[in-house]
Amino acid sequence: MANTFSNLLYHVIFSTKSREPLISDAWRDDLHAYIGGILRAEQAVLLEAGSVADHVHLLVKARPAMAIADLTRLVKANSSKWINERPDHAGRFAWQTGYSVFSVSESQVPAVRNYIRNQREHHRVKSYQEELTALLKNMESNLTRDTWSIEVW
């Protein structure tokens, strides 16, 4: 077979440095669009983006030649530079070191998209740390089961 087929889907989550509430409502949508541009330049696709003041969720489709670690590093480096160059951003912006990434099956894309779209609602009742802990527990419990549960979403 001459061609390679892949469908690598990732749910990537990362926070602002020290989880400070630095992501402004004034430029949040522009940030998501900018991240989409960074990903397109790397031949990846941003399927969904959502954020609150202290962290970002991305649903990304990537090519197999690009490691998700490298892709995430590029997104974080370039987007923080873009934010720091904005005239309407005061102070120094930085992303926290590290990130979380989860593989997503095609059948779960609608549920993950919906979850990412509803970040503001979701975080009215659950903190970033509570959310991430629940995601990790869900992943751990799924390691012992044959089926995926979307209970956390």
Side-chain angles (χ1 to χ4, degrees), residues 60-86:
V60 176
K61 183 172 186 168
R63 59 190 173 96
M66 176 60 97
I68 192 64
D70 294 333
L71 201 56
T72 303
R73 179 184 47 78
L74 287 170
V75 166
K76 290 171 69 176
N78 290 318
S79 63
S80 63
K81 182 179 185 295
W82 176 82
I83 293 166
N84 281 314
E85 291 175 350
R86 290 184 63 86

